[in-house]
Amino acid sequence: MPVATRVLQFAPMVWVGLISYSLYLVHSPINSFVHYLSLKAVSVPTIVAMTVASFALATFSWRYVEQPFRRKRAFTAPLPIFAFSATAIALLCVGGLAGMLGNGFPQRFPDFSTQRIVVGDWRNGVCFNEGASRIEDWNLADCTRTHGFPTNVLLWGDSFAAHYVSGLEANAEKIQANVIQYNYAGCPPNLSYFSYARPNCTRFNERALSIIRDANIQAVILSGRWTDYQARGFGGLQTTIDRLRDMGVKVYVIGQSPEFIADVQKIAFFAKHEGAVSTSWPMAMDADINKQVQLFAKGATFIDPLTVRRHRLFLCGCHQQAVSLFRLWSFLFRRRDAGRLEILAELRRRRRSRKGQGRGADRHW
């Protein structure tokens, strides 16, 4: 008898085969609920507990749900089965509708409240295109966010680039440059990028080259949600940088900003209920992604926001009411500041280095 046959005839293997369909059905909701409740990567003991629970529930389902339906009894006739199924579906629909109309039943957590964080004016529809606006609606006058300086800098990228606008605008005197915003949701600053979901992205990116020429741009800042484009690779980023350098502009690339598995206010709420005065949270992304991006940023100044926050979100209870606010700005604003401060330092250093060289040095700023 072949070895494979003997292995498959082993009692535990036969048992797994019997409950396999039920196991397939139950393991996913268990996994989802555990991750939702923990809001972080699960530990090995939790994984073991999830596995045991999945097998136990699958065995119960196989024994008391699956098997009875396989036997020819009165309640397994077509009419009772369809009646039972229709009733179950109707109850689930009623429960879902109640949850939707009840806004998730917030009374379950009476001490939970959210605060809207103001992230600045992105000038949606003009400087930040969400896909509904014409690319031609963008104009230089409205999208020049800082004024009165001899140097023009283009901030080019998706919504993650737009995150930096308010920080750059607030530090205009430190930057000493006219920051020009050019952002399109879900559209990376990559001249070779094409998406059927965003067909105008290609034309948007090509127009950036015209803006650089016409607006006498001396430096370009490229920023994006690089995790969205990781599967495609970052070869197009290098091609874009090479094209920009051929045009005589200085290029800066801001790496991936940190992302977390849930809203920081929820994380703070659960941390408070666990009795934690302070806590940290791991990122819900590849911590080494910027190493991959940097490989395709040759010839550009690379800025890595993750080196500032050390790969984790730190929350500290501050204010009289511990639940009210766990310094939400420590995530939302440092997420922008991490790259912003390094940009400021680099730009100021370069401006100091070119003092006394005259206006002819502007093209190499």
Side-chain angles (χ1 to χ4, degrees), residues 53-291:
S54 296
F55 273 92
L57 188 57
T59 302
F60 177 87
S61 174
W62 174 77
R63 175 68 178 83
Y64 295 104
V65 178
E66 189 176 336
Q67 285 298 101
F69 271 93
R70 293 179 181 273
R71 301 190 186 104
K72 291 184 178 180
R73 295 181 179 177
F75 65 85
T76 61
L79 183 59
I81 288 178
F82 281 111
F84 174 80
S85 300
T87 302
I89 292 173
L91 290 175
L92 288 173
C93 289
V94 169
L97 182 62
M100 184 179 67
L101 296 176
N103 195 28
F105 307 115
Q107 58 272 22
R108 294 177 299 153
F109 307 105
D111 53 344
F112 176 73
S113 62
T114 59
Q115 176 177 338
R116 183 176 179 80
I117 305 298
V118 179
V119 295
D121 178 15
W122 291 3
R123 298 185 184 173
N124 299 48
V126 180
C127 308
F128 176 61
N129 194 321
E130 296 178 89
S133 306
R134 297 186 314 129
I135 293 174
E136 292 72 22
D137 290 341
W138 186 94
N139 66 84
L140 181 63
D142 287 340
C143 298
T144 302
R145 307 302 300 258
T146 59
H147 302 83
F149 304 103
T151 303
N152 294 329
V153 179
L154 183 70
L155 176 63
W156 175 13
D158 57 19
S159 62
F160 270 50
H163 283 149
Y164 292 94
V165 168
S166 59
L168 293 168
E169 198 172 39
N171 287 270
E173 292 302 320
K174 296 179 182 178
I175 298 171
Q176 291 288 301
N178 303 319
V179 177
I180 299 167
Q181 179 188 355
Y182 190 66
N183 306 136
Y184 193 114
C187 183
N190 177 346
L191 291 171
S192 62
Y193 180 82
F194 175 79
S195 170
Y196 286 104
R198 299 175 182 84
N200 288 329
C201 180
T202 301
R203 192 160 57 91
F204 177 85
N205 283 335
E206 286 291 342
R207 191 185 181 201
L209 302 181
S210 300
I211 293 171
I212 292 169
R213 284 190 294 265
D214 298 342
N216 189 29
I217 301 295
Q218 286 91 18
V220 177
I221 301 171
L222 305 178
S223 176
R225 188 184 187 186
W226 303 114
T227 53
D228 282 356
Y229 321 116
Q230 192 172 11
R232 296 191 182 199
F234 303 115
L237 173 63
Q238 185 64 69
T239 303
T240 303
I241 293 171
D242 294 341
R243 184 85 173 271
L244 293 174
R245 294 189 69 204
D246 289 342
M247 296 175 69
V249 300
K250 174 66 181 177
V251 184
Y252 297 84
V253 176
I254 302 179
Q256 175 68 35
S257 298
E259 293 186 84
F260 302 95
I261 198 168
D263 183 275
V264 290
Q265 297 180 83
K266 293 179 182 177
I267 294 175
F269 174 78
F270 285 114
K272 179 258 181 182
H273 273 261
E274 291 174 0
V277 176
S278 63
T279 187
S280 65
W281 226 265
M283 296 189 304
M285 50 178 272
D286 181 4
D288 294 326
I289 185 172
N290 282 342
K291 294 179 181 178

Side-chain angles (χ1 to χ4, degrees), residues 25 152 248 294 322:
L25 293 177
N152 294 329
Q294 190 169 9

